Amino acid sequence: MRESPWYQEIEQRGIQLGLQQGVQRQLVRVLRRSFGEIPHEVEARLESESVEKLENLMDSAIAVSSLEEFVVILST
């Protein structure tokens, strides 16, 4: 069963989803530590982003000086 392509595809999707959720959680944590509570809309928007985009947003979250500045970057 583990050798079937179908099983491997499901397993890969699960790994990717777990990675995406982990990066998203860390990004939200960085934003909260820097700016306090963040709007639900921002969190919801992050849920749809790819791992690569979330990693780039993490760099931006560290560099910006306000949540508003981060939201502008998120919107581009």
Side-chain angles (χ1 to χ4, degrees):
M1 173 102 176
R2 292 187 131 212
E3 295 175 8
S4 75
W6 185 76
Y7 179 85
Q8 290 175 358
E9 182 178 336
I10 290 173
E11 183 178 47
Q12 187 62 37
R13 284 185 186 176
I15 291 168
Q16 187 68 20
L17 180 59
L19 179 60
Q20 179 184 16
Q21 290 173 341
V23 174
Q24 177 192 347
R25 257 193 319 272
Q26 291 304 311
L27 177 53
V28 168
R29 184 172 182 220
V30 166
L31 290 170
R32 285 185 177 145
R33 286 195 68 134
S34 298
F35 309 116
E37 281 304 308
I38 60 171
H40 175 71
E41 296 80 24
V42 171
E43 282 193 62
R45 173 72 192 276
L46 295 175
E47 291 176 6
S48 65
E49 299 295 349
S50 69
V51 171
E52 181 180 3
K53 174 78 176 193
L54 290 168
E55 288 173 341
N56 290 334
L57 288 169
M58 180 71 78
D59 293 338
S60 298
I62 293 167
V64 296
S65 57
S66 70
L67 182 59
E68 292 76 20
E69 190 178 349
F70 177 80
V71 170
V72 169
I73 294 168
L74 179 60
S75 299
T76 59

